[in-house]
Amino acid sequence: MANVDPTLEERIGAALDAGDVTAAATLGLRGYGPQILGYLTVVLHERDLAEDAFSVFAEDMWRGLDGFRRGASFRTWAYKLAYHAALRVLRDPEHRRGVTLQTSAASNLAAAVRSETPLHLRTETKTSIQKLREELTADEQTLLVLRIDRRLDWREVAEVLDMEEPALRKRFERLREKLRRLVQERGLLD
């Protein structure tokens, strides 16, 4: 993403190498937090749900960072955590409202990232294409956001969604056909 420091992965890695999990978590949340929150807002359609999922994501990241083995980039790992946080918020009624973080540092940092997110990322512009995207499942939206909007490579998207790359590419092809059909049915293209 254009607004992410190109050395962020290296700096997170250096903090982890030094055993400074707090610095790594802070760098990760500040660096990738706004785009993760944007992703969650797109997938969950409601700002409140996205904020709940973001809180769950921040807590999971903070708790799990000690076990992060760097088999993938930090960014990929963060999106995987966010994806699973979104699914938990959608499936678990207790997570639907009022999620509070157990780690005060994670809670404070998540709140700061939420408040620093630019207004244009917080305000949904209702275009025909956005309305169409809102009709997609969370998995379909995740695939679109990660591959198209965030430009993750196929390997990274496969890691986030726990899929084999060939199956993922086939799913993307079917999704593209579904979107093409819906666009034509609704007359969104001339």
Side-chain angles (χ1 to χ4, degrees):
M1 295 293 307
N3 296 335
V4 176
D5 176 358
T7 66
L8 183 58
E9 291 284 334
E10 294 170 15
R11 294 184 311 138
I12 292 170
L16 289 171
D17 290 342
D20 192 348
V21 176
T22 300
T26 301
L27 286 166
L29 276 175
R30 288 216 176 269
Y32 292 121
Q35 65 176 257
I36 296 282
L37 181 58
Y39 154 72
L40 291 168
T41 301
V42 168
V43 170
L44 297 173
H45 309 298
E46 291 180 35
R47 183 65 180 187
D48 290 341
L49 283 179
E51 289 182 358
D52 287 351
F54 187 78
S55 293
V56 171
F57 152 76
E59 183 72 21
D60 289 349
M61 191 206 70
W62 204 274
R63 286 184 179 161
L65 199 51
D66 249 348
F68 174 52
R69 299 288 174 240
R70 298 194 241 181
S73 69
F74 183 89
R75 179 183 184 208
T76 300
W77 181 71
Y79 271 107
K80 187 171 191 168
L81 291 176
Y83 170 68
H84 287 285
L87 293 178
R88 284 202 322 267
V89 166
L90 284 172
R91 292 179 185 155
D92 184 359
E94 288 185 25
H95 278 109
R96 290 190 153 241
R97 294 284 179 253
V99 174
T100 57
L101 296 176
Q102 301 303 315
T103 307
S104 63
S107 178
N108 293 339
L109 197 50
V113 169
R114 283 194 301 264
S115 68
E116 292 169 2
T117 301
L119 185 58
H120 74 279
L121 292 177
R122 287 190 263 158
T123 310
E124 254 183 275
T125 306
K126 298 287 187 180
T127 66
S128 298
I129 299 299
Q130 284 173 322
K131 287 180 185 177
L132 189 125
R133 281 178 80 160
E134 289 175 1
E135 295 177 25
L136 301 175
T137 67
D139 282 348
E140 290 170 333
Q141 287 187 41
T142 294
L143 181 53
L144 279 179
V145 169
L146 296 181
R147 182 66 186 147
I148 304 299
D149 299 344
R150 301 297 189 252
R151 295 187 176 107
L152 268 64
D153 66 35
W154 288 111
R155 180 188 48 75
E156 292 173 309
V157 178
E159 174 76 24
V160 170
L161 294 176
D162 293 320
M163 293 183 69
E164 295 294 322
E165 195 174 318
L168 179 67
R169 287 176 182 260
K170 189 66 176 171
R171 180 184 280 183
F172 186 77
E173 187 179 308
R174 286 191 304 268
L175 177 56
R176 210 171 59 208
E177 287 304 315
K178 176 182 178 178
L179 286 171
R180 184 176 293 128
R181 181 178 34 78
L182 289 172
V183 165
Q184 288 174 342
E185 286 173 5
R186 295 179 187 179
L188 298 176
L189 292 179
D190 293 335

